[in-house]
Amino acid sequence: ILYARPRARDNTLAINWFEVRWYGANSSKTRRMEKKVIIKPKNKHGYNMDTLLKRAQYWEVDMVTNIEEELLPIRTEVSFIAKAIGQLNHIENTCRLVRFDQLNV
């Protein structure tokens, strides 16, 4: 079973896919869930569809495809916004240092 999980950290948002597997017996109350992150290719905003679909159950294929198609533009926009926020923070810190230096002269 696959699921996508968003994670907000600092000035960015990550949306990662996880694969869930169950093991153990329900009757003996040893049933446990194991989740494993699916690695996204570096320098890309989306996952390799072949990788996702290979791990998906047959009944998940359409849903996973639709969700990943919707997440791609979101990840792209988040990337641009995070870079812009980083630049603004850099500019703000530089201006603060310049003002501090001018006050101490």
Side-chain angles (χ1 to χ4, degrees):
I1 297 175
L2 299 183
Y3 77 97
R5 183 181 75 180
R7 179 180 176 195
R9 188 171 70 183
D10 297 331
N11 296 326
T12 191
L13 172 73
I15 306 168
N16 297 318
W17 282 99
F18 287 82
E19 180 179 18
V20 175
R21 291 189 180 170
W22 294 91
Y23 63 94
N26 252 352
S27 59
S28 62
K29 298 186 180 184
T30 60
R31 191 92 170 134
R32 299 287 182 262
M33 177 182 77
E34 174 185 85
K35 63 182 176 181
K36 182 178 174 185
V37 68
I38 301 171
I39 304 298
K40 184 177 69 61
K42 290 190 183 277
N43 301 325
K44 298 213 177 197
H45 297 293
Y47 279 80
N48 182 334
M49 285 307 294
D50 291 336
T51 302
L52 288 178
L53 298 181
K54 179 175 65 173
R55 296 169 187 231
Q57 300 293 321
Y58 70 92
W59 48 269
E60 294 179 302
V61 170
D62 291 338
M63 182 177 54
V64 168
T65 303
N66 291 339
I67 291 172
E68 183 58 24
E69 286 173 358
E70 291 179 19
L71 290 178
L72 186 61
I74 293 171
R75 285 192 199 101
T76 304
E77 189 171 338
V78 164
S79 172
F80 292 134
I81 291 170
K83 288 175 186 172
I85 290 172
Q87 290 294 322
L88 290 172
N89 286 338
H90 178 71
I91 292 168
E92 181 181 27
N93 291 337
T94 303
C95 288
R96 232 185 254 147
L97 287 174
V98 168
R99 270 190 256 129
F100 183 75
D101 287 344
Q102 289 173 349
L103 291 173
N104 290 331
V105 171

